[in-house]
Amino acid sequence: PEDHAEMIAHHWRSAYELALAAGLDGDDLADRTRVALRDAGDRAYGLSAYPAAAGYYGEALELWPTADPSRADVLFRRARSLHLATDDRREQALVEAHDALLAVGDNAQAAEASSFLARIAWYQGGQDAALRHLEVAEQLIAGMPPSGSKTRVLAQSARHRILGGDTENGIQLANAALEMAREL
C-alpha cells in the first residue's frame, strides 16, 4: 500500500472535492483524505522528494483540525521537508512546528525543530543564535531515554559546537550521540 500512497491520496482528494461540489457532507472524506495525504507525504519523504512531501503535508494540514494534537506532528513533518528542500518558508514553518510540539508535550520533535533552526541560523552567519537554538534543543532532550530524535539533536549540537570552536564539548556530545546510535 505504501507504494501507492500518492495514488490513494489523489483518489481520496478527488472524492472529497466531488462530494463538496455536489453539496454533500464531506467530513468522513476529509478525515480519510488528510490521512492519505499525510501518508503520501511520508512516502515522498522516504524517497527524498522533499518538495513533494512538503506539498502533501501542506494539503493534509488544510484538512487537519486545529485542535487535534496530532496536527503538531504533521506541522513538523512539513517543516522538516521544507528545511531539507531548502525552501524559503522553512524557518517560519519550523518555528510554528516547534511551538505546536511544545504545546502538545512532544519535546523530542520540538528539540529537532530547534536543531534545524540552529542550522538555519548558522548558515545565515548567526553563530550566537545557532547556539541558543541548540541550548533549547539540549534542554528539551535532557533526561529523555535514548531515541532517534535525541541522537539527531546530540549529533547536530556536536557538529555546531566543534565548528564553533568548542571542541571539548563537541566531542563529548558526538561520543554520546555515537553511543546512543549504536545502542539504538
Side-chain angles (χ1 to χ4, degrees), residues 55-149:
Y56 284 121
Y57 293 137
E59 287 185 66
L61 286 166
E62 290 175 14
L63 300 173
W64 220 277
T66 55
D68 186 337
S70 63
R71 180 181 173 81
D73 177 62
V74 181
L75 283 168
F76 176 70
R77 293 176 195 212
R78 178 179 174 267
R80 180 184 59 192
S81 297
L82 289 170
H83 176 69
L84 293 171
T86 63
D87 189 290
D88 290 339
R89 300 168 292 171
R90 66 188 173 169
E91 188 170 4
Q92 180 180 345
L94 284 165
V95 169
E96 181 183 7
H98 176 268
D99 294 346
L101 290 162
L102 285 178
V104 298
D106 189 344
N107 289 355
Q109 286 194 121
E112 282 194 81
S114 288
S115 72
F116 287 141
L117 287 166
R119 185 181 295 177
I120 292 169
W122 181 270
Y123 286 138
Q124 293 172 345
Q127 183 175 356
D128 292 338
L131 289 176
R132 282 193 300 276
H133 287 297
L134 290 173
E135 287 170 1
V136 168
E138 290 170 11
Q139 289 171 1
L140 288 170
I141 62 163
M144 283 186 179
S147 69
S149 292

Side-chain angles (χ1 to χ4, degrees), residues 155-177:
Q156 189 66 250
S157 187
R159 176 178 180 254
H160 282 285
R161 291 192 188 282
I162 289 171
L163 289 173
D166 187 3
T167 308
E168 185 176 325
N169 285 330
I171 290 173
Q172 287 177 349
L173 289 168
N175 285 331

